[in-house]
Amino acid sequence: MLAVEKKWSKKSSDQVLVVGVREDDNGLPEELEKGNKSMFAALNRQWTDGAIATKKARVTNMAVLDEDETLQQLIFVGLGTRSSLTLAGLKEAFGAAVKAVHEQKATKIGVLLDTFCDESVSLGEEVATQALSDAVLTASYRFDTYKTKKEEQRNYAYTIYAQNGESEAVRAGIHRGRAFGQGVNLARTLVNLPANDLPPVALAEEAEALAHRYEKISSEILDINELRSLGMHALLAVNRGSDHPAQMIILRYQGEETWENPLALVGKGITFDSGGYSIKPGHGMKTMKSDMGGAAAVLGAFEAIGQMQPQKNVIAIIPATENLINGSAMKPGDVLQTFDGQTIEVNNTDAEGRLILADGVAYARHLGADKIVDISTLTGACVVALGDVITGALSNNDALYEAFEKSAEEAGEPVWRFPTHPRYEEMVRSSDVADLNNSPGREAGTITAGLFIGAFIHETPWIHLDVAGTAFVERETPMGPKGGTGVMVRTLATLARQSNF
Ligand code: BES
Ligand code: ZN
Ligand code: ZN
């Protein structure tokens, strides 16, 4: 729960107060003094003694007695120096604060919002409230579906103390932060669910349930018979080794008067990737329930879009299947027909993501998409190149990429655009028997994987995102726990809000 009030005053002493502090300030923020003079004096002594950490995202818990002998509890959150604070830094700071609240088992929390704002670096009340409302949801996220002993559920009551009270900016910030937080947490849970409980049909049901939550979102699921009659043989070939039928999941969000020219978000929905006959080694297979991280990001973005209601048409397209092995599974050397008409030689059955996405993006064009973003846990090469923090990107259109980059920056999610080269385009076409080759070798692996999908994009403005390193992490990060991260949910939802591209 998030409430908003104008002024903080000491009467709410059963509340833990969260205060932002800066490395280059001479003392504690004056908002504290206004609320409780005697406490401020005591705390200022602590400040002078250096007992309050001001470095970015460092937290100091403190309890002081004020002149009425009532105990005042505070959580100070370091913000670093004024000029170095960015939105990403602010999000980390709020994340650290929410974790501290959780550890202290506090349930009533006050936040002195203005101590976190700084208009001179574009961190006004709206942005700060958004970061806070997002962190309240995402920094306390736990995946405990399968734990028989669950952590006790607490109802947190947050009160934001803002100079101008419940202004339009604060209201908008709370709303958008909540939309992002719920979208991110949905994506995390979908990634964290094990493959035995999230086969393609279950993923499709999650998408249908999402559509039911929002008036402007509708869903359509293509079953295996429809996929056959449409000729989606790249998706069907990957599906052949699995007992679970493939699904093509389609969601439409209509934000404009008429349904035309949607922005398409196409997400890889491999609910488990064994590698197929080009089988993965044990350690590489262990986390492959996360191979639908692209699909999860698209669904998370739709959750946020459903709440934010941007004036843009957006379509989600998710080809979903397992990549397993049985007597009918595809084999190295097989040649596949695609929905688009081009043929593919399968050099490696573990390069299955680009196969299902070939049919996915071709179908997006067929449905009239005028811009396409595809997103997938596509290559191990991207994990090597960019690690678990930065998402890899490719694009055939500078203007669209610029709009995308701006969205990613606003969302606080780092991305890096890879270059392309005619030589790498040739590599994708280096098959003796078919038009395309799904695995032309290790060199420039992330780029050739992207360009393979690009061969089905033709002239449509396009962005390709590789989240192999960022969708699932094996360490706790400042942004959340181990496991699914919900990366790119905020960026994709922000892109859908932008009207100038
Ligand atoms: N799902 C994997 C990529 C991946 C690797 C995601 C590590 C997350 C973490 C993908 O289907 C794959 O196996 N790609 C191969 C392609 C290769 C055979 C051309 C790879 O990257 O090794
Ligand atoms: Zn694979
Ligand atoms: Zn895969």
Side-chain angles (χ1 to χ4, degrees):
M1 198 186 84
L2 272 174
V4 186
E5 281 181 29
K6 248 196 171 118
K7 277 205 296 264
W8 172 73
S9 70
K10 67 171 189 175
K11 65 180 181 305
S12 351
S13 62
D14 58 339
Q15 195 179 57
V16 177
L17 192 66
V18 178
V19 183
V21 286
R22 320 251 180 184
E23 224 174 315
D24 44 2
D25 277 3
N26 293 326
L28 288 166
E30 58 178 23
E31 285 87 348
L32 266 182
E33 186 171 19
K34 286 187 209 145
N36 187 338
K37 272 208 160 60
S38 66
M39 180 189 79
F40 183 73
L43 286 171
N44 239 346
R45 276 195 296 278
Q46 302 277 2
W47 168 278
T48 318
D49 290 348
I52 297 172
T54 52
K55 290 227 179 320
K56 216 164 277 176
R58 289 281 297 278
V59 166
T60 312
N61 296 317
M62 207 162 265
V64 287
L65 282 177
D66 68 7
E67 62 188 355
D68 316 334
E69 304 279 297
T70 47
L71 193 67
Q72 301 279 342
Q73 294 197 70
L74 297 109
I75 294 175
F76 290 101
V77 191
L79 298 173
T81 58
R82 283 195 174 264
S83 58
S84 71
L85 190 63
T86 59
L87 175 57
L90 188 61
K91 282 167 66 181
E92 277 187 25
F94 279 131
V98 169
K99 275 187 202 166
V101 162
H102 185 83
E103 276 156 24
Q104 271 199 17
K105 298 192 164 59
T107 51
K108 276 194 183 173
I109 308 104
V111 181
L112 283 189
L113 185 70
D114 299 300
T115 63
F116 292 91
C117 296
D118 190 346
E119 292 285 1
S120 68
V121 285
S122 306
L123 298 175
E125 281 195 338
E126 181 168 338
V127 175
T129 315
Q130 180 187 322
L132 172 65
S133 129
D134 182 323
V136 165
L137 292 170
T138 53
S140 60
Y141 173 86
R142 298 285 174 283
F143 181 68
D144 61 2
T145 309
Y146 298 93
K147 293 278 185 193
T148 48
K149 278 207 188 85
K150 296 191 200 299
E151 218 177 280
E152 180 197 340
Q153 278 290 322
R154 291 190 210 116
N155 288 322
Y156 296 104
Y158 277 85
T159 306
I160 297 173
Y161 297 100
Q163 225 170 48
N164 308 314
E166 198 175 349
S167 59
E168 193 46 52
V170 165
R171 249 197 304 270
I174 291 178
H175 185 252
R176 196 172 315 129
R178 187 188 299 133
F180 282 3
Q182 291 182 353
V184 165
N185 286 350
L186 170 69
R188 288 173 171 180
T189 295
L190 292 175
V191 168
N192 290 335
L193 279 168
N196 60 330
D197 273 349
L198 198 73
V201 169
L203 187 63
E205 284 167 1
E206 292 284 349
E208 285 178 308
L210 194 165
H212 281 132
R213 291 198 281 278
Y214 301 101
E215 207 187 305
K216 292 185 182 167
I217 302 181
S218 61
S219 64
E220 183 188 356
I221 312 295
L222 305 182
D223 66 18
I224 195 125
N225 295 320
E226 289 163 299
L227 296 176
R228 283 193 189 115
S229 53
L230 284 164
M232 300 232 184
H233 296 292
L235 171 57
L236 288 166
V238 177
N239 187 234
R240 280 207 308 266
S242 164
D243 289 343
H244 291 284
Q247 308 271 284
M248 184 68 91
I249 302 164
I250 298 148
L251 294 180
R252 289 179 177 83
Y253 167 80
Q254 183 165 350
E256 295 170 53
E257 297 254 307
T258 53
W259 179 258
E260 56 191 2
N261 302 332
L263 163 70
L265 307 179
V266 184
K268 172 176 172 183
I270 294 288
T271 59
F272 187 78
D273 184 10
S274 70
Y277 276 107
S278 313
I279 195 165
K280 286 183 182 298
H283 68 269
M285 205 190 292
K286 203 183 71 188
T287 57
M288 280 301 127
K289 67 173 183 179
S290 66
D291 212 18
M292 32 57 72
V298 170
L299 293 176
F302 260 66
E303 181 88 51
I305 288 168
Q307 294 190 24
M308 299 189 311
Q309 307 204 13
Q311 290 173 347
K312 194 183 233 44
N313 295 331
V314 192
I315 188 163
I317 296 181
I318 297 170
T321 174
E322 295 181 314
N323 184 25
L324 293 186
I325 303 172
N326 63 19
S328 339
M330 73 174 169
K331 300 167 282 295
D334 283 1
V335 175
L336 314 178
Q337 296 291 332
T338 63
F339 177 70
D340 165 277
Q342 300 182 81
T343 57
I344 303 168
E345 180 183 12
V346 179
N347 253 5
N348 190 315
T349 63
D350 197 12
E352 83 299 337
R354 66 196 77 180
L355 299 177
I356 69 166
L357 287 169
D359 279 348
V361 299
Y363 199 58
R365 291 185 68 240
H366 173 76
L367 294 179
D370 74 344
K371 291 171 188 77
I372 298 176
V373 180
D374 76 73
I375 174 162
S376 60
T377 46
L378 200 65
T379 63
C382 193
V383 189
V384 175
L386 299 178
D388 68 2
V389 179
I390 305 171
T391 293
L394 234 62
S395 179
N396 63 356
N397 186 295
D398 291 345
L400 177 62
Y401 191 79
E402 219 172 90
F404 169 78
E405 202 172 30
K406 201 166 142 251
S407 301
E409 204 178 299
E410 230 181 280
E413 298 187 303
V415 292
W416 188 257
R417 183 178 179 181
F418 286 105
T420 60
H421 193 278
R423 160 78 189 139
Y424 302 151
E425 286 177 30
E426 272 167 33
M427 282 168 74
V428 168
R429 298 201 169 268
S430 65
S431 165
D432 296 333
V433 294
D435 299 328
L436 293 148
N437 170 352
N438 86 327
S439 178
R442 281 164 52 87
E443 287 172 15
T446 299
I447 300 172
T448 54
L451 290 175
F452 180 97
I453 296 165
F456 296 85
I457 291 285
H458 302 283
E459 303 305 318
T460 310
W462 162 67
I463 288 167
H464 164 79
L465 299 174
D466 194 330
V467 291
T470 50
F472 184 92
V473 293
E474 303 209 52
R475 62 181 177 111
E476 189 183 335
T477 68
M479 309 310 299
K482 284 183 188 180
T485 60
V487 73
M488 290 294 121
V489 166
R490 300 177 183 96
T491 298
L492 295 177
T494 305
L495 183 69
R497 275 184 65 228
Q498 277 202 35
S499 49
N500 55 339
F501 70 87

